[in-house]
Amino acid sequence: MVKVLVAGGAGYIGSHVVKALLKNGYEVSVYDNLSTGREINLFSQAKFIKGDILDFEKLSDAMKGQDAVVHLAAKKAVGESMENPALYAQNNMIGSLNILNAMLKNNVRHIVFSSSAAVYGMPEYLPIDEKHPLKPINFYGYTKLDIERYMEWYAKLKDFHYMALRYFNAVGYDAEGSIRGREIGSQNLLPIIMDAATGRREKLCVFGTDYDTRDGTCVRDYIHVTDLAKAHVLAIEHLLKGGVSDSLNLGTGQGTTVKEIIAATEKVIGKKLKVEYVGRRSGDPAVLTASSAKAKEMLGWVPKYTNIEEIIRTTWALEQ
Ligand code: WQD
């Protein structure tokens, strides 16, 4: 059996990746410090090692005998990365370098890396493809780009193979209900909407209504986490078959406005949300959509969830 170590495998996207790997017959070990990952999201069929990616010895030990790594252990709050860059340098950069170096030390040659649309910065054209200039406008995005560049160099210098997956806006939960631990403390739109819908938060603030979009609110490319997870399995298969190393966008190509998300949520939950329209949030582009043609071509990846209501239903299911 092919052995895969999933760093960050107890987290939101990580737990979905673990499920997809198990379903496809991989032997999975999860390496997670449970800082934001949740014990409830661990699968009994996967081995669990509680560890930090900053602990090189422990990480290197966990790496022994693995065939591939999926690395999703990172801090991901854009605002926090601007206020506390040292935390992001430590976790995302030093932590990721530890992973790459532990791989080299233990002869593990394949990695799928959780990257982000944040590597592009402000869109210069749409949809964004992988040829788009890489000019991150926040430190979080910079850390992701920096690790991509390290991987590019390691691949040039060593028997080392990578796939960087640049996620657009990850949303939704496993439709089969296997993952019960919702993400806590996320500052992203859908978790905040769920907080407002359940009363954990008083209201939802919509950032900006004067964008040049069909209803004045920002457009994003919301991609279901199960579709993201599938791409990781395909990327591992691609690398193990000797496929080339690269960076790929993962999105649906479809744009949805904040108001459309609110309307779809209200339909799914059967009640009105308390919404306040406030000013723009700095650094928000009006529209962000992906071209995932390259992922389709290289991996045969095609997202299955294209209906935003269905996506929201999988999220709302966790609140029941
Ligand atoms: C979505 C839309 C907000 C909260 C970020 C990162 C990106 C990637 C995904 C990880 C925007 C609006 C939000 C709220 C709102 N992360 N919004 N009220 O900013 O598109 O992307 O997460 O890799 O790199 O930048 O996601 O969920 O914060 O916002 O109106 O309370 O919802 O303005 O238009 P974003 P988001």
Side-chain angles (χ1 to χ4, degrees):
M1 264 217 282
V2 179
K3 291 185 173 181
V4 182
L5 182 75
V6 183
Y12 167 50
I13 301 176
S15 55
H16 287 84
V17 170
V18 170
K19 174 169 177 173
L21 286 168
L22 290 170
K23 214 169 156 180
N24 284 275
Y26 289 87
E27 188 177 327
V28 180
S29 299
V30 168
Y31 189 89
D32 200 301
N33 66 1
L34 298 181
S35 61
T36 51
R38 301 186 58 182
E39 221 158 340
I40 186 182
N41 286 338
L42 295 170
F43 286 82
S44 57
Q45 305 96 303
K47 183 179 168 191
F48 175 56
I49 304 151
K50 186 168 182 220
D52 200 298
I53 54 172
L54 294 173
D55 181 347
F56 185 78
E57 293 312 316
K58 195 166 200 175
L59 181 63
S60 184
D61 235 37
M63 208 61 88
K64 288 191 175 73
Q66 301 291 339
D67 298 298
V69 173
V70 181
H71 171 27
L72 318 99
K75 298 233 131 239
K76 60 147 201 164
V78 168
E80 186 186 45
S81 79
M82 300 297 271
E83 279 152 28
N84 195 351
L87 181 69
Y88 279 68
Q90 181 89 334
N91 271 275
N92 293 12
M93 285 161 67
I94 297 177
S96 296
L97 284 177
N98 279 343
I99 289 198
L100 305 189
N101 292 340
M103 286 174 67
L104 288 190
K105 189 175 165 194
N106 293 286
N107 231 355
V108 183
R109 296 192 299 270
H110 307 97
I111 181 169
V112 177
F113 174 63
S114 160
S115 187
S116 169
V119 298
Y120 295 113
M122 280 301 183
E124 294 179 14
Y125 60 84
L126 292 162
I128 293 186
D129 59 18
E130 293 82 357
K131 292 194 187 89
H132 186 283
L134 298 163
K135 294 182 199 161
I137 55 162
N138 52 63
F139 190 61
Y140 163 76
Y142 173 75
T143 65
K144 293 289 178 183
L145 179 58
D146 202 43
I147 297 308
E148 284 196 21
R149 289 186 167 144
Y150 275 99
M151 293 194 302
E152 227 179 299
W153 271 103
Y154 279 32
K156 275 185 214 168
L157 303 173
K158 296 280 172 182
D159 183 10
F160 180 95
H161 311 270
Y162 73 91
M163 192 58 75
L165 299 178
R166 296 173 178 163
Y167 317 147
F168 280 65
N169 292 59
V171 283
Y173 279 87
D174 177 50
E176 293 165 357
S178 313
I179 291 150
R180 297 300 308 163
R182 68 177 178 84
E183 209 187 357
I184 293 170
S186 164
Q187 293 308 307
N188 292 116
L189 179 63
L190 215 50
I192 286 176
I193 287 185
M194 290 298 131
D195 287 348
T198 52
R200 286 192 296 267
R201 176 186 282 260
E202 191 214 332
K203 63 185 177 208
L204 163 72
C205 290
V206 173
F207 302 138
T209 51
D210 58 348
Y211 285 99
D212 186 15
T213 60
R214 50 186 175 266
D215 62 19
T217 62
C218 288
V219 169
R220 293 289 179 276
D221 188 329
Y222 295 94
I223 173 81
H224 195 277
V225 66
T226 299
D227 283 327
L228 287 183
K230 178 74 189 172
H232 294 71
V233 177
L234 295 171
I236 288 186
E237 282 169 7
H238 165 91
L239 293 176
L240 292 176
K241 274 194 314 220
V244 293
S245 296
D246 215 331
S247 299
L248 302 176
N249 288 345
L250 297 179
T252 62
Q254 220 177 286
T256 308
T257 70
V258 177
K259 279 189 178 167
E260 286 163 355
I261 294 273
I262 294 170
T265 306
E266 289 176 338
K267 215 167 147 194
V268 168
I269 70 175
K271 64 173 183 191
K272 288 273 172 204
L273 289 169
K274 192 167 174 207
V275 179
E276 190 184 336
Y277 295 95
V278 299
R280 293 183 178 196
R281 180 174 72 175
S282 83
D284 263 348
V287 182
L288 208 55
T289 52
S291 161
S292 299
K294 203 168 156 192
K296 185 174 179 193
E297 186 193 310
M298 281 183 79
L299 306 179
W301 179 77
V302 181
K304 293 210 168 65
Y305 287 85
T306 47
N307 180 308
I308 199 69
E309 259 177 62
E310 194 185 345
I311 290 176
I312 292 167
R313 225 171 281 126
T314 67
T315 311
W316 182 238
L318 256 80
E319 307 290 351
Q320 308 309 299

